[in-house]
Amino acid sequence: MKDLLIKTAEQTEIVDAGQLRAYLDERRESTARIDEMLLACPNFTEEAVLKLLAAVMGLQFIEEIDAKLVPKEFVENVPATYAQHHYLIGIRPDGENELTVVLSKPFDTNAVDNVSKLTNCPVKIAVATRAAITAAIDIAYEQKSTVVEEVAEELDQQNLDMLVDEVASADDLLDVVNRPPVIRLVNDILFRALQLRASDVHVHPYENKIQIRYRIDGILYDTLSLNRNVLSLIISRIKVMAGMDIAERRMPQDGRCSVRLGNREIDLRVSTVPTSYGERSVLRILDKSSGLFDLSEIGMSDEYLKIFDSLINRSHGVIFVTGPTGSGKSTTLYAALNRINSIEKNIMTIEDPIEYQLEGISQMQVASKKGMTFITALRHVLRQDPDVIMVGEVRDQETARMAIQSSLTGHLVFSTLHTNDSAGAISRLLDLGVEPYLVSSSLIAILAQRLVRKICPDCRAEYQPALHELRELGFGQQDTKGLKFYIGQGCSKCFDTGYRGRTGIHELMLISESIRTMIHERQNAQVIKQKAQEEGLVTLRMDGARKVMLGITTIGEVLRVTQADM
């Protein structure tokens, strides 16, 4: 086998034949299986090794596996945990009777024989990387998992009191084989949420039912109704997962946990509150595998991006990001910190809670019960010689004043405020009791933002908006000549909503000398905004109108998230 591998390497040049010979000579006494030995070689990638083995064995190497080709009998008979452990998946291309077992270790014949026995099918072998196989497993077993109604019926038919004792933690959402019904039910609810790209799951009890609701692209949708009898079971299961007290049902509780979906790591932030019809729970889903956004991906125009890029590279000053809850403020701040992150800068954050881990950045979690508030954390951070500080939120006068004073002593400070527009942030700081001279001398920019849903590209169609919609958005009849407007008609890919995904609309106010003077004179937000518009400020609604003209979103969506420009 050694000589055949070297000869094939020389002929195909998939890997360097000289390096391969040297590596095999070093391990001539090894008893390890040849595929495992080669996959452990640091000189070659997994893909190169598997392509070489496939060429030697006359097997097909598959770069990307189409999960639609995974047959029903494979998903039903081969447990997800077995497929994950051995990194294998079964596919049946059109017109073939044999099951093709795709695996990442082509000499693992025992696993292949077991699949043949479990499925009662003749099999042949193909090769793929672990990443490709895991992606196919995730999709294939997610499709199997949408059996919520069946599990709910099974729960109703069993002794509910006995099932409470069976609630136990399960690490992997795909591992539903031989699990008690309540675990399968909660796992399936989470599966469906991930399939629908939901950011939150609401378990809402009513007098005669439980309503499961998902927040998708910022809008809540009713997706499933369950028998009210299973409420205590579902809440108990959620509490166990999040490390909360099952016995305490009269007080609100918070918790968090991590679950896996194949190789995807998902964080859940859990909250429960007592209501008149029983405990209600909300689960916030943070998918770590989705990664952080780059500044160029959050919807900023090229003009704004250049300006914002220059602002975040300044050595000192305060930049506020404003907007209501769920408007993407944290995502923008993370993208900004990621952009300026380098070994030359000491960047520290104070957050409540930490949503994503940023490599190379020190992140602190606020813990008010233990005395670690934003203000106490900020005092300690200033002793750590930081260059850049991110304060999760300015909530009171003391935090606001200290954040601003920190910028005056040579730090670049990022933070958030809950205000409707950019000018409103100035009024809020003054209302909190911060002196006007501190605000005017430290503030360099305020970014207001909202999230709008994007039109689904698969069902996008041209339409003619009503005249009153055009007027509300700021278009006159002359402005719309030659323009095309689009709307989503609704399809299976966007779950008949007409929208898929979200993007940001922004209002970036730069603090000019004239605006500094107005702050010093305590002018109100409306007057300051009018001055900013004279100096070229593009308001939220104007930026939304740009995205309507580009066919990214709809007029109705922009009107929904913005208010009329004063």
Side-chain angles (χ1 to χ4, degrees):
M1 175 60 83
K2 173 188 167 183
D3 294 337
L4 187 55
L5 282 166
I6 294 168
K7 185 179 177 183
T8 306
E10 288 171 342
Q11 291 172 346
T12 61
E13 297 183 348
I14 295 171
V15 300
D16 185 286
Q19 285 185 327
L20 178 63
R21 183 182 286 107
Y23 181 75
L24 292 172
D25 285 344
E26 283 175 20
R27 284 155 183 78
R28 66 169 65 92
E29 303 299 327
S30 174
T31 56
R33 215 170 59 202
I34 191 75
D35 57 346
E36 292 178 338
M37 189 196 301
L38 287 174
L39 287 166
C41 177
N43 301 326
F44 311 129
T45 64
E46 180 192 19
E47 184 175 342
V49 168
L50 291 174
K51 281 183 176 176
L52 179 67
L53 290 170
V56 168
M57 300 170 71
L59 300 174
Q60 180 188 8
F61 176 81
I62 303 174
E63 290 193 4
E64 193 172 330
I65 302 165
D66 186 354
K68 292 175 185 173
L69 299 178
V70 180
K72 187 179 177 183
E73 60 264 30
F74 182 88
V75 177
E76 289 181 348
N77 294 299
V78 179
T81 46
Y82 188 84
Q84 289 163 352
H85 179 72
H86 291 280
Y87 287 105
L88 57 82
I89 190 79
I91 61 171
R92 181 175 286 123
D94 294 337
E96 291 191 14
N97 294 322
E98 267 186 318
L99 182 72
T100 301
V101 179
V102 188
L103 67 168
S104 65
K105 293 180 181 176
F107 288 91
D108 195 353
T109 52
N110 286 337
V112 177
D113 290 342
N114 286 337
V115 170
S116 181
K117 288 173 186 172
L118 287 166
T119 58
N120 198 25
C121 292
V123 299
K124 64 178 182 180
I125 297 174
V127 183
T129 62
R130 288 179 297 172
I133 291 167
T134 301
I137 290 171
D138 286 356
I139 296 168
Y141 283 87
E142 280 181 17
Q143 288 168 352
K144 176 202 170 187
S145 67
T146 56
V147 289
V148 181
E149 293 87 350
E150 295 172 24
V151 177
E153 285 172 17
E154 192 179 336
L155 275 169
D156 292 343
Q157 291 163 7
Q158 296 194 22
N159 186 326
L160 300 177
D161 295 330
M162 288 175 63
L163 288 173
V164 177
D165 300 327
E166 292 181 327
V167 175
S169 180
D171 292 326
D172 196 327
L173 293 180
L174 291 173
D175 183 14
V176 293
V177 181
N178 298 324
R179 288 281 180 184
V182 64
I183 292 179
R184 289 167 55 202
L185 176 60
V186 173
N187 282 12
D188 278 323
I189 288 169
L190 291 173
F191 274 137
R192 189 171 284 193
L194 290 164
Q195 282 181 303
L196 300 179
R197 311 180 322 277
S199 60
D200 300 83
V201 180
H202 290 237
V203 181
H204 193 162
Y206 290 91
E207 186 177 3
N208 300 313
K209 65 175 181 178
I210 307 165
Q211 190 68 52
I212 306 297
R213 312 175 82 194
Y214 294 147
R215 188 176 293 280
I216 303 166
D217 293 335
I219 306 293
L220 270 174
Y221 295 95
D222 288 347
T223 54
L224 182 69
S225 291
L226 298 173
N227 191 308
R228 199 188 137 65
N229 293 341
V230 302
L231 177 65
S232 60
L233 283 170
I234 293 172
I235 298 296
S236 294
R237 168 64 184 153
I238 290 168
K239 284 183 175 179
V240 167
M241 289 172 70
M244 294 151 74
D245 184 357
I246 294 180
E248 180 55 76
R249 297 182 180 180
R250 291 177 295 178
M251 294 290 288
Q253 292 189 65
D254 293 309
R256 64 186 306 156
C257 63
S258 290
V259 293
R260 284 186 302 109
L261 182 65
N263 278 6
R264 284 164 67 188
E265 187 83 14
I266 292 134
D267 274 353
L268 300 175
R269 290 213 314 265
V270 182
S271 168
T272 62
V273 295
T275 71
S276 55
Y277 294 120
E279 284 185 285
R280 173 183 174 147
S281 182
V282 175
L283 297 87
R284 165 66 58 88
I285 298 172
L286 300 169
D287 189 351
K288 290 182 180 178
S289 67
S290 63
L292 294 167
F293 284 92
D294 186 77
L295 269 182
S296 59
E297 298 173 324
I298 62 173
M300 271 193 191
S301 65
D302 292 340
E303 178 193 350
Y304 268 3
L305 196 55
K306 285 177 187 172
I307 298 169
F308 197 65
D309 237 339
S310 66
L311 293 172
I312 63 177
N313 281 290
R314 291 199 185 181
S315 60
H316 60 88
V318 181
I319 298 173
F320 279 107
V321 181
T322 78
T325 303
S327 59
K329 298 187 297 294
S330 297
T331 301
T332 298
L333 285 176
Y334 278 135
L337 293 178
N338 225 24
R339 176 71 68 99
I340 61 174
N341 187 14
S342 67
I343 55 172
E344 291 87 15
K345 288 181 179 174
N346 178 20
I347 302 176
M348 300 192 72
T349 74
I350 306 162
E351 302 174 58
D352 183 23
I354 296 170
E355 292 190 12
Y356 289 99
Q357 296 293 336
L358 296 167
E359 193 174 339
I361 292 175
S362 301
Q363 296 171 266
M364 292 177 66
Q365 169 85 46
V366 170
S368 301
K369 290 179 183 176
K370 297 178 182 177
M372 180 65 84
T373 60
F374 277 113
I375 187 65
T376 54
L378 187 51
R379 284 198 188 99
H380 291 291
V381 161
L382 288 169
R383 299 187 193 119
Q384 293 285 313
D385 185 32
D387 297 297
V388 180
I389 304 167
M390 192 263 270
V391 181
E393 187 183 343
V394 167
R395 296 174 180 170
D396 52 48
Q397 180 190 21
E398 204 174 359
T399 309
R401 185 179 280 125
M402 191 156 212
I404 284 170
Q405 285 174 339
S406 303
S407 73
L408 296 173
T409 55
H411 305 93
L412 181 64
V413 180
F414 294 95
S415 192
T416 68
L417 277 170
H418 289 287
T419 61
N420 289 326
D421 60 4
S422 52
I426 296 168
S427 298
R428 176 64 52 84
L429 290 169
L430 297 176
D431 290 344
L432 283 172
V434 183
E435 292 80 356
Y437 75 89
L438 282 177
V439 177
S440 63
S441 56
S442 63
L443 208 54
I444 55 177
I446 303 164
L447 178 73
Q449 72 174 54
R450 299 288 188 279
L451 291 176
V452 291
R453 293 180 292 170
K454 294 194 288 185
I455 300 168
C456 173
D458 290 289
C459 61
R460 192 174 82 148
E462 198 176 327
Y463 91 114
Q464 184 56 47
L467 195 58
H468 71 87
E469 287 183 305
L470 294 170
R471 283 177 182 156
E472 274 193 80
L473 200 57
F475 287 122
Q477 282 184 308
Q478 299 299 319
D479 301 335
T480 59
K481 282 188 177 177
L483 281 180
K484 290 183 179 179
F485 296 92
Y486 296 92
I487 197 166
Q489 294 179 313
C491 64
S492 59
K493 291 192 177 176
C494 62
F495 312 108
D496 295 317
T497 62
Y499 297 98
R500 198 159 92 217
R502 288 189 289 178
T503 190
I505 56 172
H506 303 91
E507 177 180 295
L508 181 61
M509 180 188 283
L510 303 176
I511 308 301
S512 63
E513 285 307 315
S514 55
I515 291 176
R516 288 187 201 284
T517 304
M518 295 174 84
I519 294 170
H520 212 269
E521 294 169 353
R522 286 184 177 269
Q523 298 276 10
N524 67 41
Q526 191 174 340
V527 175
I528 291 173
K529 188 167 183 177
Q530 282 174 347
K531 183 64 178 175
Q533 283 183 261
E534 288 170 18
E535 294 178 354
L537 175 73
V538 177
T539 65
L540 284 167
R541 186 160 282 190
M542 289 160 68
D543 193 41
R546 282 179 182 176
K547 289 184 167 62
V548 169
M549 290 161 65
L550 291 169
I552 295 170
T553 188
T554 63
I555 293 176
E557 188 66 9
V558 173
L559 296 177
R560 181 180 69 84
V561 301
T562 63
Q563 56 187 11
D565 299 324
M566 300 300 183

